[in-house]
Amino acid sequence: MEDSAGPQPSGPPRNNRTDLVKIARPALIAGAAIAVVCIALLVIIFFLDTFNATVYSVGGNDIQDATDEARQIRDLYTGARVGGIILLVISLLAAAGGAVVLYLNRGAADEGDDGDEDVDFDDLAGR
């Protein structure tokens, strides 16, 4: 007789494949949502840059001048633009990775793996 004080497994052994599938779906959803927000942010920054350049050029100045004011206007949204592009790339990679994992495991889903019981229409209707 062997007694072990350690935790005993409760249920069937877990598979790394099912763990990936459980992570892939939220990664796909979050990656797609963040990508949409980043694209909207970059479009807004583009319009703000265009607006600033237009307002600056109304006074007869050129945004491509070598003056400090023109340089400050050109560099106004650089941090937000770079951050938006980096976050966009990361979110697209997460979404693509999640999509690939879900696509490769599309037929390997275990029935009833999450502990829920199958309920059909007759059970719901009370017949």
Side-chain angles (χ1 to χ4, degrees):
M1 271 187 141
E2 280 186 37
D3 289 333
S4 175
Q8 300 296 322
S10 61
R14 294 191 55 116
N15 188 352
N16 285 341
R17 200 169 180 165
T18 58
D19 290 341
L20 279 177
V21 171
K22 288 182 181 182
I23 294 172
R25 188 167 287 124
L28 176 63
I29 294 168
I34 293 171
V36 168
V37 170
C38 286
I39 290 171
L41 173 73
L42 291 171
V43 167
I44 290 169
I45 290 172
F46 172 75
F47 283 123
L48 287 173
D49 274 346
T50 304
F51 176 75
N52 285 339
T54 303
V55 169
Y56 184 69
S57 65
V58 167
N61 300 324
D62 187 11
I63 194 70
Q64 299 302 324
D65 286 344
T67 62
D68 286 338
E69 187 179 11
R71 183 183 49 77
Q72 287 175 351
I73 291 173
R74 286 191 308 262
D75 295 341
L76 186 62
Y77 299 107
T78 302
R81 187 181 304 117
V82 170
I85 291 171
I86 290 172
L87 196 58
L88 176 65
V89 169
I90 291 171
S91 65
L92 288 176
L93 287 175
V100 167
V101 168
L102 288 175
Y103 180 76
L104 293 176
N105 294 313
R106 67 188 179 278
D110 296 330
E111 294 285 334
D113 186 26
D114 55 358
D116 294 338
E117 75 177 77
D118 285 339
V119 178
D120 59 1
F121 180 74
D122 291 334
D123 293 334
L124 292 174
R127 295 181 187 171

